[in-house]
Amino acid sequence: MTTIYRCITEDDTAQFCHRVTEALSRGWQLHGSPSMAFDPVKGIMRMGQAITKDIHAEYHPDMKLGQQ
């Protein structure tokens, strides 16, 4: 069993929530609290959420983590 890790980032829009919700529906689990930071160049808030998932495969750097 291998635990894989991703960090989803997005502007603070509904799209961020949809991306996290989709990952949760595919078996990923939240890892810690979401983070929020102001992007002064764009003038908007940015969101981030770490997620993890246990898989029955050996990790390889070429894995497409979003497709797991």
Side-chain angles (χ1 to χ4, degrees):
M1 179 97 46
T2 301
T3 300
I4 56 177
Y5 170 91
R6 290 177 56 199
C7 185
I8 298 173
T9 60
E10 184 79 40
D11 294 347
D12 185 15
T13 64
Q15 180 62 27
F16 172 76
C17 296
H18 286 290
R19 289 181 65 199
V20 173
T21 300
E22 179 183 14
L24 295 174
S25 75
R26 292 181 172 202
W28 290 82
Q29 296 181 346
L30 299 176
H31 183 77
S33 299
S35 60
M36 179 182 261
F38 183 71
D39 180 341
V41 174
K42 288 184 165 183
I44 57 171
M45 296 301 290
R46 297 273 301 165
M47 299 294 296
Q49 176 64 60
I51 56 176
T52 60
K53 184 178 185 181
D54 292 330
I55 60 170
H56 294 284
E58 189 171 323
Y59 170 76
H60 190 275
D62 293 336
M63 292 176 97
K64 303 290 185 193
L65 297 176
Q67 297 175 359
Q68 295 297 318

